[in-house]
Amino acid sequence: MSNLKTRDITQLALIAALYVAVTIAPGISAFSYGQIQFRVSEILMLLPFFNHKYSWSLIVGCFISNLFSAQLGMYDIVLGTLATAIACYIITKIPARNSLLWTVPVVCAVVNGIIVGAELHFVLKLPFWLNFVTVGFGELVVVAIGAVIFYFLMRNKSFSKLIG
């Protein structure tokens, strides 16, 4: 992280800002929090698969987005951000080959299903297994759609160079 250039810092800040903007955007934010989540910004969770530096953008973006979590407040700020950090860490351990791109949605779904599912269970007293399934399913769908998009985008040399 110490060898980042101004361009890298700018990219990281833009990705974090994009994550926040898409999470809290009117019309989308209703699906970004709670038991049934389709947080569209989670598509960006594919970025650390291609370049580990983007993990920082997603962790910061998630932290800032969770400041807007009305129901879960501090719990979501800490635990939701922790879920993103753990998912990013696991994703960076997956070898970056197109055939393994499809493991990213599964990692995101399981990590968020467990952590956010437990958070909803303990804070709002909602059934854990139902939370695990609803949060995990939403995450799986969003990140799988993102995997399809990234699969095709990475075929473009300019986009691939920009991300890498």
Side-chain angles (χ1 to χ4, degrees), residues 19 22 28 31-32 37-46 104-105 108-109 135-150:
Y19 185 101
V22 172
I28 297 176
F31 301 104
S32 296
Q37 291 186 17
F38 288 94
R39 191 178 274 199
V40 178
S41 55
E42 289 289 295
I43 287 174
L44 298 171
M45 288 298 291
L46 291 143
V104 175
C108 293
V135 171
F137 178 73
E139 188 78 8
L140 183 68
V141 168
V142 168
V143 183
I145 290 169
V148 171
I149 293 168
F150 270 84

Side-chain angles (χ1 to χ4, degrees), residues 9 71 137:
I9 294 168
Q71 282 185 312
F137 178 73

Side-chain angles (χ1 to χ4, degrees), residues 77-158:
I77 293 167
V78 173
L79 296 173
T81 305
L82 177 64
T84 296
I86 290 170
C88 283
Y89 176 76
I90 293 169
I91 291 165
T92 63
K93 299 303 175 193
I94 301 169
R97 294 193 306 264
N98 268 346
S99 61
L100 295 176
L101 176 65
W102 310 106
T103 60
V104 175
V106 175
V107 167
C108 293
V110 171
V111 170
N112 279 280
I114 291 170
I115 295 175
V116 177
E119 178 185 350
L120 290 163
H121 172 71
F122 289 111
V123 177
L124 300 179
K125 308 298 183 216
L126 299 170
F128 171 76
W129 289 108
L130 181 60
N131 300 334
F132 174 79
V133 169
T134 58
V135 171
F137 178 73
E139 188 78 8
L140 183 68
V141 168
V142 168
V143 183
I145 290 169
V148 171
I149 293 168
F150 270 84
Y151 177 79
F152 290 106
L153 284 175
M154 291 306 286
R155 291 178 169 201
N156 179 299
K157 287 185 177 23
S158 297

Side-chain angles (χ1 to χ4, degrees), residues 32-68:
S32 296
Y33 305 96
Q35 189 177 25
I36 299 174
Q37 291 186 17
F38 288 94
R39 191 178 274 199
V40 178
S41 55
E42 289 289 295
I43 287 174
L44 298 171
M45 288 298 291
L46 291 143
L47 289 172
F49 178 77
F50 299 104
N51 191 324
H52 301 169
K53 73 179 182 183
Y54 292 113
S55 296
W56 296 106
S57 298
L58 299 172
I59 294 165
V60 169
C62 181
F63 174 82
I64 294 169
S65 295
N66 287 344
L67 292 172
F68 296 91

Side-chain angles (χ1 to χ4, degrees), residues 5-40:
K5 296 179 175 110
T6 303
R7 177 186 164 119
D8 294 321
I9 294 168
T10 303
Q11 281 181 327
L12 296 176
L14 285 170
I15 296 299
L18 180 62
Y19 185 101
V20 174
V22 172
T23 301
I24 66 171
I28 297 176
S29 63
F31 301 104
S32 296
Y33 305 96
Q35 189 177 25
I36 299 174
Q37 291 186 17
F38 288 94
R39 191 178 274 199
V40 178

